[in-house]
Amino acid sequence: EPRLVESGGGLVQAGGSLRLSCVVSGLYFDDYVYGWFRQVPGKEREGISCISSSGGIVYSADSAKERFTISSDNSKNTVFLQMTNVQPADTAVYFCAAISVIYSDRCHDPDTAFFRWGRGTQVTVSS
């Protein structure tokens, strides 16, 4: 059974950094594109960035390009999101998701029906 488990969230001061990890199991890593999303209570989930299994950046939101970096370690079936200079507005639950490479053009759209989702990790940024 496919499983994505996020970790690395927590409480951080504004201006600090965090690295989120997403360990993927139960699916063939190379057949999927991986994305990071975030959601604030009461708001829609938004796509941050997507990466192919070969390490190519498929998508990066304008709001994330300067401060967030997605990467992957295929040897560990793990996807990362390096967050720098975090701000209180970055406070959210961060989710990792996998979608078949067939639908890679939708990797940033959380409403796509074909995602496999993790449960998320809370990031809280204090001012």
Side-chain angles (χ1 to χ4, degrees):
E1 179 181 346
R3 192 170 181 224
L4 293 85
V5 180
E6 303 94 335
S7 63
L11 177 64
V12 60
Q13 288 189 330
S17 298
L18 279 175
R19 189 174 81 155
L20 307 182
S21 299
C22 172
V23 178
V24 180
S25 61
L27 52 80
Y28 188 58
F29 195 80
D30 289 354
D31 284 350
Y32 289 81
V33 171
Y34 301 91
W36 282 100
F37 299 79
R38 67 184 182 184
Q39 188 169 23
V40 176
K43 295 189 176 181
E44 293 186 352
R45 192 169 298 186
E46 63 172 329
I48 299 170
S49 191
C50 306
I51 191 168
S52 69
S53 61
S54 61
I57 306 301
V58 178
Y59 170 81
S60 184
D62 289 341
S63 59
K65 286 179 180 177
E66 292 187 2
R67 298 185 297 118
F68 296 173
T69 303
I70 192 170
S71 62
S72 65
D73 184 341
N74 288 26
S75 68
K76 298 180 180 179
N77 283 10
T78 302
V79 183
F80 303 99
L81 184 69
Q82 180 68 49
M83 305 168 62
T84 62
N85 190 23
V86 294
Q87 300 300 314
D90 296 319
T91 296
V93 178
Y94 285 72
F95 297 89
C96 174
I99 193 167
S100 170
V101 294
I102 299 173
Y103 306 110
S104 60
D105 61 327
R106 306 182 195 180
C107 72
H108 63 288
D109 181 1
D111 293 329
T112 299
F114 308 110
F115 276 114
R116 307 280 191 175
W117 291 97
R119 292 190 173 185
T121 185
Q122 175 71 46
V123 172
T124 302
V125 183
S126 62
S127 57

